Amino acid sequence: MNRREFLKRTVVAGIAGGIALTGLNKVETAWAATIAVGTMIDLTKCDGCTGKDLPACVAACRETNRDRFPRPRPEDIRPYWPQKKFEDWSQKQDVTNRLTPYNWTFVQKVEVEHQGKKATVFIPRRCMHCDNPPCANLCPFSAQEKTPEGPVLIDPNTCFGGAKCREVCPWHIPQRQAGVGLYLKVAPKFAGGGVMYKCDLCYNRIINGELPACVDACPKGAIEFGPKEEMRKKARARAAAINGYIYGEKENGGTSTFYVSAVPFTVLHRALMEQKQSPGLPVEVENYLETANGLAQGLLLAPVAGVLAAGLAVYKGMKGDGNNE
């Protein structure tokens, strides 16, 4: 039995109450039960695919999502009032050592010392898919969505590229590309910075019973995928077995991504900062929505977001399409 078939059987078997799937060729009905999914990333198994031009997870992510990358026209990439700058990665699409609108996952390599021993740790980085994502809840255009299955999505046809999502993300994950998006149709000279892009955990693949591309491609089995609570249990069991540590279970109010490491995440974070690598791994970082400023901002943005969302819906309805041309 291959990993994909194992995943399908595991998900179907794990649905609360059970669902009759006799005769079905796919597992969409299983996902329709809104079972939450997640990933466990075992840093003791990841070796960064040493010796390859690209880590397998990075290469698979880029290939899978290539048709969804932004394609701005040069004449549309320009500042808008009152901004005097813009973010353009269209001429740097081959950058793979950080997150960009064209690179939604990458692997950090960090040298650490723990308990008198030196070690090299490889850390796959991408969206954590938080349980209560400030990015989605504070987007004034309602361009982001926390799905029942767990992944946090950005709608490129609604996003104005204001980058509020990146500002409130503890890891500053979403990345902006100028010269694309709805703002070009609405107010190109006065509003909008482009569109924000990030990992969506291969949402279209998982609702069709497939593994996320990074999981499917990993030669070491360092990234596991399945029902979220199962991933949590596996992370806890693995951490206990190696006398290690878990990251992502509590940070930012909890996430759908559980890292397991033999080295404390406080040590990893400090090493990342000392070696000037970003994003870091701040431990038990507070969810912005639970702060006084975050709560106040949410209350202020709520009515504005409602009006903007309604306006965008009307605009799209009048145009008769939802594309991003």
Side-chain angles (χ1 to χ4, degrees):
M1 186 188 306
N2 62 31
R3 286 186 295 162
R4 182 176 289 124
E5 184 61 28
F6 177 76
L7 168 69
K8 291 182 181 181
R9 296 188 187 185
T10 300
V11 170
V12 172
I15 297 175
I19 296 178
L21 295 174
T22 304
L24 294 184
N25 295 319
K26 294 185 179 181
V27 296
E28 285 93 339
T29 303
W31 293 114
T34 64
I35 182 171
V37 297
T39 53
M40 182 188 82
I41 303 176
D42 189 341
L43 301 186
T44 69
K45 295 181 179 180
C46 179
D47 65 356
C49 292
T50 301
K52 294 185 177 181
D53 292 336
L54 273 181
C57 59
V58 178
C61 177
R62 290 172 66 86
E63 182 60 31
T64 299
N65 294 295
R66 191 172 301 279
D67 291 342
R68 301 168 59 205
F69 290 162
R71 294 180 177 84
R73 300 184 306 173
E75 60 268 30
D76 289 330
I77 301 175
R78 59 181 185 270
Y80 65 92
W81 185 90
Q83 304 294 325
K84 295 182 180 179
K85 60 182 179 180
F86 52 83
E87 295 177 34
D88 177 24
W89 290 90
S90 62
Q91 302 304 311
K92 297 178 284 186
Q93 297 185 28
D94 293 334
V95 171
T96 57
N97 62 352
R98 57 157 292 165
L99 298 176
T100 80
Y102 301 89
N103 196 65
W104 301 353
T105 186
F106 78 110
V107 178
Q108 293 173 320
K109 177 182 178 181
V110 61
E111 307 294 336
V112 299
E113 184 171 339
H114 177 54
Q115 295 181 340
K117 297 180 180 179
K118 293 184 178 181
T120 301
V121 180
F122 295 91
I123 313 170
R125 303 305 300 271
R126 40 86 170 154
C127 180
M128 299 286 286
H129 299 288
C130 300
D131 297 339
N132 185 26
C135 59
N137 292 316
L138 291 177
C139 176
F141 304 103
S142 299
Q144 301 205 34
E145 171 193 6
K146 173 71 173 179
T147 64
E149 297 86 358
V152 178
L153 315 181
I154 298 177
D155 181 356
N157 298 310
T158 304
C159 179
F160 268 66
K164 186 66 182 177
C165 53
R166 183 171 59 194
E167 179 184 328
V168 298
C169 173
W171 304 282
H172 308 297
I173 297 297
Q175 300 298 312
R176 178 166 55 188
Q177 174 60 46
V180 292
L182 187 60
Y183 85 96
L184 291 172
K185 297 180 180 180
V186 177
K189 294 183 179 179
F190 303 104
V195 171
M196 309 302 292
Y197 293 88
K198 70 172 189 65
C199 158
D200 65 357
L201 205 58
C202 288
Y203 185 68
N204 286 336
R205 288 172 62 98
I206 66 175
I207 62 174
N208 283 295
E210 297 180 83
L211 293 169
C214 60
V215 179
D216 208 13
C218 181
K220 299 293 185 179
I223 313 175
E224 297 191 44
F225 172 84
K228 179 182 175 181
E229 290 310 311
E230 180 181 319
M231 293 298 100
R232 188 196 306 274
K233 290 178 182 178
K234 293 191 77 169
R236 289 176 175 175
R238 177 61 176 161
I242 64 173
N243 194 27
Y245 308 84
I246 299 176
Y247 187 86
E249 188 173 22
K250 299 178 180 178
E251 284 71 25
N252 204 33
T255 79
S256 299
T257 303
F258 307 112
Y259 286 98
V260 177
S261 170
V263 178
F265 287 96
T266 51
V267 174
L268 290 174
H269 177 65
R270 183 168 62 249
L272 287 169
M273 295 299 96
E274 290 174 350
Q275 295 168 36
K276 295 181 169 48
Q277 296 198 50
S278 180
L281 289 164
V283 176
E284 296 185 1
V285 62
E286 188 175 20
N287 187 293
Y288 184 74
L289 292 170
E290 297 174 359
T291 66
N293 287 339
L295 179 61
Q297 193 168 57
L299 292 172
L300 288 172
L301 279 175
V304 177
V307 172
L308 289 173
L312 288 172
V314 170
Y315 174 82
K316 286 175 152 182
M318 291 174 61
K319 287 293 184 181
D321 62 34
N323 60 40
N324 193 32
E325 295 177 357

